[in-house]
Amino acid sequence: MSLGFGKHLIKPSVTFLKTELSFAFVNRKPVVPGHVLVCPLRPAKRFRDLWPEEVNDLFNTVQRVSNVVETHFGGTSLTISIQDGPDAGQTVNHVHVHILPRKPGDFERNDQIYEVLQEHDKEGQDTPDKWRSEEDMEIEAASLRKYF
């Protein structure tokens, strides 16, 4: 069964972890290899709208997923980010956490990642011709699913 992510439906084939209150899935347009998303099952628009048990489950899931993607993609660090509201760059009206495994030299300046995330899903930037294939996303999800 597909899961809601704002106005998008996320297919089970690209979801690699589902908990009682959260789910994790691969990104159709990753900023770096291994860039994944974790969000609550309930479509809360803002972080402040989450119930305490959703916050707990969300961050426990983020921690589990972070450990896996850092190792799986050969990262040495992580960028974990929430863009909470449109003025913070949130383009999907559903709380979600970006997890990006990082490596030395992946950006000219470390903080450049935030500029790239800000532009990542903006209108005109997020078009199907810039997305990965469904097959690539399914392969990545399957490789991550093995860890859970």
Side-chain angles (χ1 to χ4, degrees), residues 123-139:
E123 204 167 311
Q125 297 296 316
D126 189 29
T127 57
D129 63 308
K130 297 182 180 183
W131 300 344
R132 296 193 294 169
S133 74
E134 196 76 25
E135 182 182 8
D136 285 346
M137 292 169 54
E138 290 172 2
I139 290 168

Side-chain angles (χ1 to χ4, degrees), residues 31-32 79 100-117:
V31 171
V32 296
T79 293
L100 301 98
R102 302 291 305 275
K103 297 177 182 179
D106 56 2
F107 287 90
E108 191 173 314
R109 296 180 340 276
N110 269 337
D111 285 349
Q112 187 180 8
I113 187 85
Y114 300 109
E115 297 165 19
V116 173
L117 278 172

Side-chain angles (χ1 to χ4, degrees), residues 27 29-31 35 116-122 125-126:
N27 199 321
K29 197 177 93 181
V31 171
H35 177 186
V116 173
L117 278 172
Q118 184 79 19
E119 297 298 317
H120 175 251
D121 288 332
K122 281 200 172 167
Q125 297 296 316
D126 189 29

Side-chain angles (χ1 to χ4, degrees), residues 22-138:
S22 303
F23 67 104
F25 57 101
V26 300
N27 199 321
R28 67 183 179 192
K29 197 177 93 181
V31 171
V32 296
H35 177 186
V36 299
L37 301 173
V38 177
C39 62
L41 289 168
R42 186 175 67 89
K45 289 183 180 182
R46 298 284 308 274
F47 186 74
R48 66 177 173 231
D49 299 330
L50 294 175
W51 303 324
E53 56 272 13
E54 289 173 313
V55 171
N56 185 45
D57 188 82
L58 180 69
F59 276 91
N60 282 330
T61 304
V62 166
Q63 186 178 47
R64 289 176 66 198
V65 169
S66 295
N67 290 333
V68 166
V69 297
E70 182 176 5
T71 301
H72 183 79
F73 290 95
T76 57
S77 299
L78 295 160
T79 293
I80 299 171
S81 175
I82 299 176
Q83 295 162 296
D84 190 31
D87 294 328
Q90 182 183 25
T91 57
V92 176
N93 288 326
H94 189 146
V95 173
H96 57 286
V97 181
H98 293 262
I99 302 173
L100 301 98
R102 302 291 305 275
K103 297 177 182 179
D106 56 2
F107 287 90
E108 191 173 314
R109 296 180 340 276
N110 269 337
D111 285 349
Q112 187 180 8
I113 187 85
Y114 300 109
E115 297 165 19
V116 173
L117 278 172
Q118 184 79 19
E119 297 298 317
H120 175 251
D121 288 332
K122 281 200 172 167
E123 204 167 311
Q125 297 296 316
D126 189 29
T127 57
D129 63 308
K130 297 182 180 183
W131 300 344
R132 296 193 294 169
S133 74
E134 196 76 25
E135 182 182 8
D136 285 346
M137 292 169 54
E138 290 172 2

